[in-house]
Amino acid sequence: MRTAVVVGGGIGGLSAAIGLRRAGWRVTVFERAPRVTGIGAGITLWPNALRALEVLGLDLTPLTVPQSTGRLRDHRGRWLTRVDGAEFERVLGRPILGIARAQLIDLLREEVPAADLHAGVTVTGVTADGRVRWDGGELHADLVVAADGIHSGVRADLWPDHPGAVYTGQTAFRALLDNSGRSGLSGILGPGTEVGMVPLTGDRLYWYLACHAPEGRRHADPLGYLRGRFHDLPDPLPALLDATPPDRLLHHDLFALRTPLPTYLRGRVALLGDAAHAMTPYLGQGGCQAIEDAVVLAAAIAGHERVEDALAHYDRERRPRSQAIARRSDQAGRFGTRLTNPLAVAARNAVFRLAPASLSVRAATAAAHWTPPPIG
Ligand SMILES: Cc1cc2nc3c(=O)[nH]c(=O)nc-3n(C[C@H](O)[C@H](O)[C@H](O)COP(=O)(O)OP(=O)(O)OC[C@H]3O[C@@H](n4cnc5c(N)ncnc54)[C@H](O)[C@@H]3O)c2cc1C
């Protein structure tokens, strides 16, 4: 049986492990964290990712929360456009799913035999011929999937000329709330700020706020800081901040790969997920693209005799699409969260108000029209 090592037990790495196992390979996953678990409150999965997960044998439909019509509003609380979850579902054939990250990682992890999943193991070196080294040993694999995230060590080692991920100038606060009593995707778009709310199963709510900030700035009382800085933002932000227990609030700076990689391959090593194309979160597609990568890689492996041919196919299929979506995500940020000039903000808001709702739906759903290949 041919063997693969997956470096990283995040969304991309676990999806790749499931797909490669379906292609008949023996897979070993190394994850440096002591436990394989999801950090980061919630995540939205678009229909492109839901279809890919179905190919991996996971049906997330039971976790879907019916999304009633929500609103996108400006910083004064004025209506900008409708966010119609039902219309998204009609256009895309599937709903947009909000899910707790821990729940998603649990679902993926359960599909990988525990004996093949090694948590608490940091990979310290990978070579293009498939050699993988970690603190306690070394092995050789027919394929190495580097799914080690935005600050990928494998990418740094094997693509030494690439500048790596850069700070986007924005930071993100996120939390998961119980008993929210809210339904419908909704948000607030202010100057240099975006707030989003995504209902999850069990009456929970995932909310996030992205805003400008110097890299690395942290606050002794982050909720107090948000209340002060965004005191003029409309409801429901004040209510969300009041309802958020301090230990539930997460704060991460946003990084992205601004220089697209010329290839995702080095010999028998393939970059996947954020390691390959870390993007800004403004389209909610980073994790979705990692899942797409995994399915395309597994399908290519199942469909080609030679690993080299399979990898060449993977690179051809995945690089243009994932890098185009990363670019579009950046553009969405430039037109949305990153816009600070008051005149530009007013013009953007006017476009939102005047454009037919169907146009916003088309723009928001463009990346989600994708059909995965079957594995084998
Ligand atoms: C604020 C925010 C909101 C987002 N919202 C969405 C959204 O709504 N929808 C969406 O699709 N995406 C979203 N994303 C993007 C999404 O989170 C990422 O694209 C996704 O998590 C990438 O998965 P990954 O498996 O490639 O990387 P990661 O999740 O980073 O996993 C990499 C794993 O590799 C491990 N690792 C690293 N180095 C080593 C090593 N040397 N040895 C062993 N293990 C190692 C790490 O511990 C980690 O577990 C968002 C991102 C942010 C920051």
Side-chain angles (χ1 to χ4, degrees), residues 8 11-12 31-32 43-44 101 121 123 147-148 174 273-274 284 286-288:
I11 295 170
E31 165 55 51
R32 72 177 168 197
I43 186 166
T44 51
R101 283 190 187 241
V121 177
V123 169
D148 52 345
R174 294 175 278 179
D274 275 8
C288 298

Side-chain angles (χ1 to χ4, degrees), residues 48-338:
N48 51 318
L50 296 178
R51 286 189 204 98
L53 287 167
E54 281 164 24
V55 171
L56 296 178
L58 281 104
D59 179 10
L60 274 61
T61 320
L63 296 173
T64 302
V65 181
Q67 306 285 355
S68 59
T69 302
R71 296 262 180 278
L72 182 64
R73 288 179 296 152
D74 73 6
H75 55 292
R76 300 222 170 84
R78 291 174 306 200
W79 186 90
L80 286 177
T81 188
R82 211 171 45 177
V83 187
D84 190 341
E87 179 60 7
F88 284 176
E89 182 169 351
R90 195 189 62 73
V91 169
L92 292 168
R94 278 185 185 55
I96 299 164
L97 176 71
I99 184 169
R101 283 190 187 241
Q103 202 174 7
L104 175 61
I105 291 288
D106 284 352
L107 287 169
L108 294 169
R109 194 194 51 226
E110 278 161 18
E111 299 295 312
V112 181
D116 298 334
L117 199 50
H118 303 273
V121 177
T122 301
V123 169
T124 52
V126 167
T127 56
D129 64 353
R131 219 162 278 283
V132 178
R133 228 180 17 255
W134 66 97
D135 341 0
E138 179 175 315
L139 61 74
H140 186 264
D142 297 298
L143 165 68
V144 181
V145 179
D148 52 345
I150 196 159
H151 300 295
S152 166
V154 177
R155 188 185 62 230
D157 282 352
L158 297 184
W159 280 257
D161 297 333
H162 189 271
V166 294
Y167 183 52
T168 60
Q170 297 240 306
T171 202
F173 297 85
R174 294 175 278 179
L176 205 56
L177 303 185
D178 300 325
N179 308 317
S180 76
R182 291 181 186 277
S183 65
L185 299 161
S186 50
I188 302 166
L189 206 48
T193 314
E194 178 185 349
V195 183
M197 289 143 269
V198 184
L200 313 184
T201 48
D203 193 26
R204 289 171 306 166
L205 182 87
Y206 159 49
W207 71 262
Y208 61 87
L209 182 153
C211 60
H212 286 285
E215 182 179 355
R217 177 176 290 176
R218 290 297 177 269
H219 310 276
D221 171 16
L223 282 168
Y225 164 76
L226 290 174
R227 279 191 197 98
R229 177 166 168 188
F230 299 108
H231 66 274
D232 52 349
L233 284 193
D235 266 339
L237 184 66
L240 291 178
L241 295 177
D242 286 345
T244 301
D247 61 348
R248 288 270 184 102
L249 187 70
L250 300 172
H251 181 190
H252 293 98
D253 288 346
L254 299 177
F255 289 82
L257 282 191
R258 282 272 155 74
T259 307
L261 286 155
T263 170
Y264 289 172
L265 309 177
R266 274 287 182 271
R268 290 177 172 266
V269 181
L271 295 175
L272 183 144
D274 275 8
H277 45 65
M279 58 189 76
T280 53
Y282 309 123
L283 290 181
Q285 276 288 339
C288 298
Q289 290 306 301
I291 299 167
E292 284 191 14
D293 288 347
V295 169
V296 172
L297 178 65
I301 285 289
H304 292 82
E305 193 45 46
R306 284 164 25 98
V307 174
E308 293 81 354
D309 296 338
L311 290 181
H313 177 88
Y314 166 74
D315 188 50
R316 255 194 328 272
E317 283 285 307
R318 291 307 303 155
R319 210 157 31 82
R321 174 166 163 81
S322 53
Q323 292 181 346
I325 290 175
R327 261 195 317 276
R328 259 186 267 157
S329 189
D330 233 21
Q331 282 156 7
R334 229 173 287 148
F335 184 66
T337 318
R338 285 167 55 201

